[in-house]
């Protein structure tokens, strides 16, 4: 089927997916580019495919052939886009995870996406987001994750309550905080099960969350006192994964 007008009913409906409200309502979200669409196909979540009518469909998946103006209407890019996928949100069982990250109000979608990418790369089981974190299905979050969000369970929850639940399972929870009682990362000997909390880019982890954790840790540095939260997450995950007892 070919779509030539931005006034097409389906295009009008799918364009609404640029808003979180519509994504939450429909359970659908948009991905852009060949790599992310391929990852969505592998995860069996791709529902619709829209491709520029001047290029061949590189996937074994039926598509709508669209004019450039139609593709651009679906896209969030400034430059001309070539292919758009519409995906179904995944659902996972929220239990039996022993290596987890908890993000307390991390607001930049690029940071959230990069953390998801690192977490998947270094063997984290799942990620818990607070209600004020950047939306998982924001296009920048998706792009920064490089498709990792299709393979790693991510939940939105009350972080303080989730910490209590993890502790009841004898999973030690570490807060990454610049705190006078914080241990240096190299002093930690990780267990096979662990949870690491990372905080907001500007204000860090809320004090009540810090207080509910078992220990505070900080990364040894020679110059600056703090790092970008996504970089800090990557360093901590790598250390905890490859320095176990």
């Amino acid at each position: 089927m070919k779509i030539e007008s931005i006034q097409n009913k389906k295009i009008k409906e799918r364009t609404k997916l640029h808003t979180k409200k519509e994504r939450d309502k429909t359970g659908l979200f948009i991905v852009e580019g060949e790599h992310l669409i391929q990852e969505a196909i592998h995860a069996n979540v791709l529902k619709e495919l829209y491709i520029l009518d001047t290029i061949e469909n590189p996937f074994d998946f039926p598509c709508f052939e669209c004019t450039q103006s139609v593709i651009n209407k679906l896209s969030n890019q400034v430059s001309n886009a070539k292919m758009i996928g519409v995906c179904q949100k995944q659902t996972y069982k929220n239990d039996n995870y022993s290596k987890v990250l908890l993000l307390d109000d991390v607001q930049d979608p690029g940071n959230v996406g990069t953390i998801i990418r690192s977490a998947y790369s270094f063997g984290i089981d799942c990620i818990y987001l607070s209600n004020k974190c950047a939306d998982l299905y924001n296009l920048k979050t998706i792009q920064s994750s490089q498709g990792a969000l299709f393979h790693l369970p991510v939940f939105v929850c009350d972080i303080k309550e989730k910490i209590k639940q993890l502790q009841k399972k004898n999973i030690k929870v570490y807060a990454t905080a610049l705190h006078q009682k914080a241990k240096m990362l190299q002093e930690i000997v990780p267990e096979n099960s662990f949870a690491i909390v990372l905080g907001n880019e500007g204000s860090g982890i809320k004090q009540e969350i810090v207080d509910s954790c078992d220990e505070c840790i900080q990364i040894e540095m020679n110059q600056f006192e703090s790092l970008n939260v996504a970089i800090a997450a990557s360093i901590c995950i790598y250390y905890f994964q490859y320095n176990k007892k």
Side-chain angles (χ1 to χ4, degrees):
M1 179 180 174
K2 188 165 185 176
I3 301 177
E4 298 180 323
S5 172
I6 61 173
Q7 300 303 319
N8 177 278
K9 182 179 179 181
K10 182 176 285 291
I11 299 303
K12 284 186 173 181
E13 286 299 311
R14 295 300 178 246
T15 301
K16 294 178 184 177
L17 293 174
H18 292 158
T19 68
K20 183 178 184 303
K21 180 180 179 181
E22 186 69 13
R23 294 192 294 268
D24 290 344
K25 175 184 173 183
T26 62
L28 301 174
F29 63 98
I30 285 175
V31 297
E32 300 192 30
E34 186 169 347
H35 171 70
L36 287 172
I37 290 172
Q38 188 65 66
E39 290 293 321
I41 291 172
H42 286 161
N44 199 33
V45 296
L46 187 68
K47 295 300 180 184
E48 297 170 0
L49 178 60
Y50 300 83
I51 290 187
L52 185 64
D53 57 11
T54 58
I55 64 173
E56 291 187 10
N57 182 356
F59 310 108
D60 184 20
F61 195 98
C63 72
F64 295 97
E65 296 181 357
C66 303
T67 60
Q68 188 69 72
S69 61
V70 170
I71 291 290
N72 287 351
K73 183 70 174 177
L74 291 171
S75 173
N76 266 326
Q77 296 179 188
V78 176
S79 57
N80 287 337
K82 293 183 179 179
M83 54 189 73
I84 304 288
V86 174
C87 303
Q88 181 72 50
K89 292 182 180 181
Q90 293 161 286
T91 57
Y92 297 94
K93 291 183 178 179
N94 190 358
D95 56 8
N96 297 324
Y97 301 113
S98 60
K99 293 179 290 187
V100 307
L101 294 184
L102 303 99
L103 307 188
D104 182 30
D105 297 359
V106 177
Q107 294 184 321
D108 182 85
N111 283 334
V112 173
T114 301
I115 291 170
I116 293 169
R117 182 179 181 181
S118 292
Y120 181 60
S121 298
F122 296 136
I124 291 296
D125 293 335
C126 82
I127 298 179
Y128 296 102
L129 308 179
S130 68
N131 288 303
K132 292 185 180 179
C133 277
D135 180 30
L136 177 61
Y137 299 101
N138 177 291
L139 186 60
K140 189 175 179 183
T141 308
I142 296 168
Q143 290 174 331
S144 298
S145 83
Q146 284 293 295
L149 88 162
F150 293 122
H151 310 291
L152 185 69
V154 182
F155 304 97
V156 177
C157 67
D158 182 307
I159 295 296
K160 190 173 180 180
E161 185 59 34
K162 179 53 63 176
I163 288 171
K164 292 178 183 178
Q165 293 172 12
L166 292 168
Q167 290 167 332
K168 286 180 181 178
K169 296 180 180 180
N170 294 317
I171 295 175
K172 196 168 187 177
V173 183
Y174 298 86
T176 54
L178 297 174
H179 191 283
Q180 61 180 357
K181 294 183 180 179
K183 288 186 177 180
M184 293 300 175
L185 184 59
Q186 291 186 17
E187 296 179 54
I188 303 299
V189 182
E191 305 280 350
N192 286 325
S193 299
F194 58 84
I196 303 171
V197 185
L198 297 120
N200 176 270
E201 292 87 345
S203 56
I205 304 170
K206 290 189 288 292
Q207 189 59 50
E208 63 178 319
I209 301 296
V210 172
D211 292 341
S212 67
C213 294
D214 297 299
E215 281 195 75
C216 290
I217 56 173
Q218 65 181 66
I219 298 168
E220 300 86 346
M221 287 181 285
N222 292 327
Q223 304 297 335
F224 291 109
E225 287 190 346
S226 62
L227 293 169
N228 168 275
V229 65
I231 293 173
S234 300
I235 293 170
C236 290
I237 297 165
Y238 182 87
Y239 181 87
F240 270 73
Q241 183 69 338
Y242 296 107
N243 290 275
K244 298 191 193 78
K245 286 183 178 178

